[in-house]
Amino acid sequence: MLSPSLVLGASFAYLLLLFAVAWWADRRAEQRRSVIGNAWVYALSIAVYCTAWTYFGSVGRAASGGVWFLPIYLGPMLAMLLAWLVIRKMLRIARTYRITSIADFIASRYGKSPLLAGLVTLITVVGIVPYIALQLKAIDSGYHLLTTSGAETLRDAGPWWQDGAFYVALALAGFTMVFGTRHLESRERHEGMVAAIAFESVVKLIAFIAVGIFVTWGLFGGPVELFARANADPQLRELLRLAQNDRPFAYEQWFALTMLSMLSVVFLPRQFQVLVVENVDERHLKRAAWVFPAYLLAINLFVLPIALGGLMFFGAGRVDADTFVLSLPLAAGQHGLALAAFVGGLSAATGMVIVETIAVSTMVCNDFVMPLLLRWGIFARQRDVSGWLLAIRRAAIVLVLLLGYLYFHLAGEAYALVSIGLISFAAVAQFAPAALGGMYWKGGTREGALAGLLAGFALWAYTLMLPSIAKSGWWQTDFVAAGPWGLELLRPEQLLGMAGLDNLTHSLFWSMLANVGLYVGVSLWRTPSVQETSQALLFVDVFDRTRRERPVFWRGRAKVADLQALVRRFLGADAADRLFAAYARQRGVDAIEGVVPDARLVQFVETQLAGAIGSASARVMVASVAEEEALGLDDVLCILDEASQLRAHSQALEQATAELRAANLRLASLDRLKDDFMSSVTHELRTPLTSIRALTEMMLDDPQMAPAQRQEFLAIVVTETERLSRLVNQVLDMAKIEAGHAQWHNAEVDLIELLKHAAQTVHELVRERGAELLLDLPAAAPTLRADRDRLLQVLLNLLSNAAKFVPAEGGRIELRLKVDADAATVEVQDNGPGVPAEQRALIFEKFRQGGDGANRPQGTGLGLPISRQIVEHFGGRIELRADQGQGACFVFTIPWQQPESPAEPAGDSA
């Protein structure tokens, strides 16, 4: 065992280190060099989720249920997948309306109801007490494990004034007051606390991993040996196979735990505090969405190895599995590691207690005590009540910790750490329907939220809280075992005869069923009030309203002096003067006296007060100095109409912007096509011109050149000039056709003769490719009135394209003509590689060519677009038929009856 003075000294030194970190962060904030304005610090602060429950309780749960500790961490990982959709909306709402707690969040949504805020606060205090008890139990058990012998570990706590856990609770209360209630802020942001929590997250992770490494590689030869030895033990083998739970429907508990932890990572007061209230930049959520799950994965890597190692080292049932993190290093003589592990556990516990009690004390002050004191008029004659606010919060911190100590003595000894924590999880899960429903459903009402919360909380207390107290022996067990008045259908652990579920899943089912059912049912039954409607708009449409100036739902008269005096009473004179000076500068005036006391100023004052005393109390206080005119239904409809018009204008502007952006993209695409065309045409012009110039210079320089060679060179020159002519003609053709200046010479055309002529024209080209051209023509066909040369141009384009792509051996091109009563159809089929799927939609565009890289043929990519223009001029259409196994098949159809077109002037075709 270790010396008590050593353990206490190390603990005190660590707490001083935390205080130094917090002091340093606060100093940096005063110098406008915020430490918490960092995504890594934000992500690590969310790891306050990992409390003494994670540090000790997860190992205990793994020792009895294998991997059944995982749902507690799987839920938060799944929740972070929805962070950018759900949590970001909560961040935007909280920042916009200065919301400082989960009670304030729910109350603000439903008309800033003091009654609803008070109910949420009451549920929070009652529900969070078991979690406070868990931390005290962990610290107390760990301390006595390190400082007492095995025989003394099972001790009688004795009177409360001799119990170390009582003084631990008081010490944590004092430390929390130093951390979070030194001064009053309208923003309710605690930079020093967040920095210290992030630091604690690193400490507890390193300490836990150090123990895991020691157990895995120090006591055993690595994970392979550890799991092999565990698998050789029949009892541990069953544990690894999850056979400890012999109930036939065990996996409903897995689902319940996952869902419960998924809600708790957002709605636990400490999680809402660090996740929402303390956030300085919602973009930090992107990093936290993967860093926090990675942290959970890292801290759980060695949970199962430590649990199995403890069971093999000590034997099953001989040592409390919750203490394996401390007892294994201690039993192996690694006292330094045991002390480090205790400091890590202390870090996990103190981090939770500090943030939780700060959040709860803010709720107790703003949403429970302040409304009562304001109603009784206690502060009516006081000009500065900021000191009272701090005193109330400090008293609330002490009260919450003492309640946790009381629960620790009533029920804590009878429950494992994880079981205690799950009781709190089930309590705060009752906030989910009202909070999430209020963010996405405008029809939710105050009465619906109240009914749902009351029913859910009552069933939670009846089916889970009371049995936990009864298990300690403090409550009359007959009530729980037999049901009230002996009615078994009302037994808390098997309500209405529902058997086969564990206590947690049973309680969660009934409480959430009643909560959601009453919330939706009562909300549908009752029409929302004017204030609820206005708040619903602000919450549900928060993203739309923060992109532009928000309408203010207030009408009345106020005086600047009265509003100034009100803010000074609750925030102090210096803080109030700074806030009003900043507001005046924002409105473009030199001093606050020059500001018109309009709805915006009233809203500004109410928002600032909401950060210090809660939205419900802020509304009451503003109403006491400003004469507000009640908004009627017509006013709300008018506001809605204005908001709809703004939204319509905004949508129209966004649509116009999108169209302009699309036009710009099309212009950019055309510009790229122009560049491609110029590059292609330049290349096509340069190649024959280079050949012509080179050959003519050779003939010019060598008058004695042999006639045969000169004749060969002249033939090449003629071929290249013909190639240039075709290129120029294609470019001119496309330009004239698109401009409507092309000349057409329509006459009666014999299609069979035309197709034979086209085949004869390309015969030599096809032969050079080693291919054959097959004709499939009817015996007779009606004549078609069209421009013969233009149709021949289409046929030659298609046939020459086919000749370019047929294989070197066994190439085949089929030219077919089909006629019916309406139209003539010409098909050009080859057995080449076909057109790739990604190019099929592009081949008829200008300057586009089939093939890729080295396989791309020469040309400008104008042949097919020109062919399409010609065919469409005669009322037909051309297409690339879907692949039928091999090759490409181009088809064009021209009706016998031509569309009427203006007479074309005679002349040579371009």
Side-chain angles (χ1 to χ4, degrees):
M1 69 178 188
L2 301 178
S3 167
S5 59
L6 176 62
V7 177
L8 292 175
S11 303
F12 186 70
Y14 177 70
L15 294 179
L16 284 180
L17 177 60
L18 285 184
F19 181 79
V21 171
W23 177 84
W24 170 75
D26 281 337
R27 287 292 302 273
R28 297 265 299 185
E30 292 172 0
Q31 299 168 2
R32 298 186 180 277
R33 296 189 296 168
S34 175
V35 175
I36 69 172
N38 181 288
W40 288 102
V41 174
Y42 175 67
L44 288 172
S45 69
I46 301 174
V48 73
Y49 178 83
C50 299
T51 65
W53 175 10
T54 299
Y55 213 85
F56 301 111
S58 292
V59 175
R61 188 171 182 85
S64 61
V67 296
W68 280 82
F69 70 96
L70 286 179
I72 308 301
Y73 308 98
L74 180 61
M77 292 181 180
L78 294 176
M80 296 311 287
L81 293 177
L82 303 174
W84 198 246
L85 297 177
V86 179
I87 300 176
R88 185 169 72 102
K89 191 169 189 178
M90 299 180 76
L91 291 176
R92 185 69 64 88
I93 292 171
R95 179 179 296 109
T96 304
Y97 309 119
R98 290 294 175 93
I99 288 172
T100 59
S101 66
I102 185 63
D104 203 16
F105 187 91
I106 296 175
S108 296
R109 163 59 181 85
Y110 300 99
K112 301 183 179 180
S113 166
L115 179 60
L116 190 54
L119 176 60
V120 173
T121 301
L122 179 63
I123 294 174
T124 301
V125 172
V126 176
I128 213 64
V129 160
Y131 220 133
I132 301 292
L134 184 155
Q135 313 308 313
L136 297 178
K137 178 178 182 178
I139 296 173
D140 183 66
S141 301
Y143 174 78
H144 282 89
L145 180 66
L146 292 181
T147 58
T148 59
S149 64
E152 298 173 333
T153 303
L154 299 174
R155 72 195 192 289
D156 181 11
W160 62 267
W161 60 86
Q162 296 180 1
D163 190 0
F166 174 74
Y167 296 100
V168 169
L170 292 182
L172 287 176
F175 196 67
T176 304
M177 286 187 283
V178 173
F179 258 95
T181 57
R182 284 178 292 168
H183 46 73
L184 196 63
E185 288 280 352
S186 64
R187 297 175 303 167
E188 279 306 315
R189 195 170 284 150
H190 309 82
E191 299 224 0
M193 179 198 73
V194 174
I197 296 304
F199 177 76
E200 281 191 314
S201 297
V202 175
V203 170
K204 63 191 176 189
L205 177 63
I206 293 174
F208 192 85
I209 290 178
V211 174
I213 292 173
F214 166 73
V215 172
T216 306
W217 282 276
L219 297 181
F220 300 90
V224 175
E225 178 187 331
L226 189 151
F227 282 99
R229 288 179 58 180
N231 195 49
D233 186 316
Q235 184 177 359
L236 295 183
R237 187 187 313 123
E238 292 299 314
L239 179 66
L240 290 172
R241 294 176 181 176
L242 308 180
Q244 290 283 34
N245 197 331
D246 57 358
R247 294 186 300 107
F249 303 105
Y251 286 95
E252 88 285 347
Q253 185 181 5
W254 186 285
F255 174 80
L257 289 175
T258 302
M259 182 60 62
L260 202 59
S261 57
M262 191 174 181
L263 297 176
S264 299
V265 78
V266 178
F267 296 111
L268 278 169
R270 70 175 186 279
Q271 294 302 130
F272 190 88
Q273 182 76 28
V274 297
L275 196 63
V276 178
V277 178
E278 304 291 349
N279 177 270
V280 296
D281 188 340
E282 66 184 35
R283 291 173 298 181
H284 292 170
L285 195 61
K286 290 183 178 180
R287 181 169 296 170
W290 66 267
V291 171
F292 177 54
Y295 184 97
L296 294 179
L297 177 63
I299 205 168
N300 281 284
L301 280 177
F302 291 102
V303 168
L304 197 56
I306 293 174
L308 294 174
L311 292 173
M312 288 186 287
F313 190 88
F314 295 113
R318 296 183 180 180
V319 174
D320 184 3
D322 285 343
T323 67
F324 279 172
V325 174
L326 299 177
S327 56
L328 281 171
L330 199 63
Q334 298 292 328
H335 293 173
L337 181 59
L339 182 59
F342 175 76
V343 170
L346 177 68
S347 180
T350 55
M352 176 270 168
V353 170
I354 291 169
V355 183
E356 199 84 74
T357 51
I358 286 175
V360 173
S361 68
T362 301
M363 295 167 64
V364 170
C365 176
N366 293 355
D367 303 311
F368 198 78
V369 178
M370 282 299 296
L372 295 177
L373 298 180
L374 293 175
R375 178 176 298 179
W376 295 337
I378 293 178
F379 296 144
R381 297 183 180 180
Q382 302 229 2
R383 293 187 177 181
D384 187 349
V385 298
S386 58
W388 278 93
L389 295 177
L390 291 176
I392 294 170
R393 294 184 184 190
R394 290 165 182 166
I397 289 172
V398 175
L399 177 64
V400 169
L401 280 165
L402 289 180
L403 287 174
Y405 170 76
L406 180 63
Y407 183 88
F408 167 58
H409 270 280
L410 291 179
E413 294 294 344
Y415 268 70
L417 293 177
V418 167
S419 300
I420 296 175
L422 292 175
I423 294 173
S424 293
F425 274 26
V428 299
Q430 306 305 319
F431 302 147
L436 296 177
M439 289 168 58
Y440 295 98
W441 183 36
K442 295 178 182 178
T445 65
R446 183 182 74 106
E447 281 73 12
L450 281 170
L453 279 171
L454 282 171
F457 176 62
L459 284 169
W460 166 83
Y462 183 73
T463 58
L464 193 61
M465 187 72 166
L466 287 182
S468 75
I469 297 177
K471 190 173 182 179
S472 69
W474 181 72
W475 189 265
Q476 292 294 326
T477 55
D478 292 342
F479 178 85
V480 175
W485 308 291
L487 297 175
E488 288 208 8
L489 284 178
L490 298 181
R491 286 177 57 195
E493 295 180 299
Q494 293 184 10
L495 190 61
L496 298 184
M498 181 175 284
L501 297 177
D502 64 283
N503 290 352
L504 179 70
T505 307
H506 175 262
S507 176
L508 185 65
F509 171 78
W510 284 115
S511 62
M512 294 303 288
L513 178 66
N515 194 334
V516 175
L518 285 175
Y519 171 67
V520 174
V522 175
S523 294
L524 292 174
W525 171 64
R526 182 193 172 280
T527 304
S529 67
V530 171
Q531 184 64 23
E532 290 168 0
T533 301
S534 66
Q535 290 300 111
L537 290 172
L538 296 178
F539 271 58
V540 177
D541 298 332
V542 65
F543 288 118
D544 291 337
R545 296 179 179 278
T546 50
R547 291 192 189 104
R548 58 181 183 270
E549 194 170 1
R550 304 183 304 274
V552 180
F553 298 97
W554 186 88
R555 183 180 299 165
R557 294 182 298 275
K559 295 180 180 179
V560 174
D562 294 340
L563 294 173
Q564 274 186 299
L566 180 62
V567 176
R568 285 172 176 169
R569 285 181 62 193
F570 291 95
L571 299 182
D574 294 339
D577 291 343
R578 287 196 300 271
L579 288 172
F580 279 104
Y583 179 81
R585 288 193 300 271
Q586 182 183 356
R587 297 296 296 270
V589 298
D590 296 332
I592 191 62
E593 288 76 14
V595 175
V596 177
D598 56 5
R600 299 186 189 283
L601 178 60
V602 173
Q603 187 191 46
F604 169 76
V605 170
E606 184 173 332
T607 303
Q608 299 302 319
L609 289 178
I613 62 174
S615 60
S617 298
R619 183 166 184 80
V620 172
M621 295 311 300
V622 169
S624 69
V625 299
E627 299 178 11
E628 181 177 4
E629 297 177 12
L631 287 172
L633 183 59
D634 293 338
D635 297 318
V636 174
L637 293 177
C638 181
I639 292 171
L640 288 173
D641 184 59
E642 292 176 2
S644 299
Q645 292 177 11
L646 286 173
R647 188 177 294 108
H649 290 317
S650 175
Q651 291 174 349
L653 182 60
E654 290 177 357
Q655 183 177 359
T657 302
E659 292 175 355
L660 181 60
R661 187 180 296 110
N664 286 334
L665 291 175
R666 287 195 296 271
L667 287 174
S669 177
L670 289 174
D671 190 57
R672 287 193 300 271
L673 288 176
K674 178 201 70 175
D675 292 341
D676 293 343
F677 167 69
M678 293 302 298
S679 176
S680 178
V681 169
T682 302
H683 174 75
E684 292 297 320
L685 288 172
R686 183 185 295 115
T687 302
L689 285 174
T690 302
S691 298
I692 293 171
R693 179 177 178 178
L695 294 173
T696 53
E697 286 180 349
M698 290 173 64
M699 289 187 290
L700 182 63
D701 293 340
D702 187 6
Q704 305 301 323
M705 181 178 292
Q709 188 175 12
R710 184 181 298 273
Q711 191 67 23
E712 180 184 354
F713 284 4
L714 287 173
I716 295 174
V717 169
V718 171
T719 302
E720 294 300 308
T721 55
E722 290 175 350
R723 180 178 171 187
L724 282 173
S725 297
R726 286 195 303 272
L727 172 63
V728 173
N729 286 337
Q730 280 189 331
V731 175
L732 291 176
D733 271 353
M734 177 57 75
K736 288 185 176 182
I737 291 173
E738 288 189 337
H741 298 155
Q743 297 176 349
W744 306 87
H745 301 279
N746 294 341
E748 298 298 324
V749 178
D750 184 344
L751 287 176
I752 295 177
E753 182 275 331
L754 181 63
L755 266 62
K756 289 180 179 179
H757 178 70
Q760 184 178 2
T761 303
V762 299
H763 174 75
E764 186 62 22
L765 174 63
V766 173
R767 187 188 64 78
E768 290 177 355
R769 294 286 300 176
E772 60 177 337
L773 176 58
L774 305 177
L775 296 180
D776 181 4
L777 306 176
T783 58
L784 176 70
R785 184 164 183 80
D787 188 323
R788 185 180 185 280
D789 291 338
R790 294 291 187 182
L791 291 181
L792 181 61
Q793 186 180 358
V794 173
L795 288 169
L796 294 178
N797 277 333
L798 296 179
L799 289 170
S800 61
N801 280 346
K804 294 176 184 177
F805 290 101
V806 292
E809 296 181 2
R812 187 180 70 257
I813 302 173
E814 297 181 23
L815 178 60
R816 298 186 288 266
L817 173 64
K818 298 179 180 179
V819 297
D820 56 29
D822 299 320
T825 301
V826 178
E827 300 177 356
V828 179
Q829 170 86 48
D830 65 67
N831 65 340
V835 180
E838 65 273 11
Q839 295 184 12
R840 297 180 66 85
L842 305 175
I843 57 173
F844 286 103
E845 293 186 10
K846 290 177 290 186
F847 319 129
R848 301 280 189 176
Q849 291 179 263
D852 54 2
N855 297 324
R856 178 170 296 173
Q858 293 182 346
T860 60
L862 292 175
L864 287 176
I866 290 175
S867 299
R868 183 180 62 180
Q869 294 278 5
I870 293 172
V871 172
E872 290 179 351
H873 175 79
F874 294 117
R877 66 187 182 91
I878 187 171
E879 63 180 351
L880 172 62
R881 185 166 290 171
D883 289 344
Q884 298 178 351
Q886 185 179 15
C889 182
F890 285 89
V891 181
F892 69 88
T893 302
I894 298 180
W896 302 115
Q897 296 293 330
Q898 300 296 309
E900 295 184 3
S901 60
E904 302 289 351
D908 295 334
S909 64

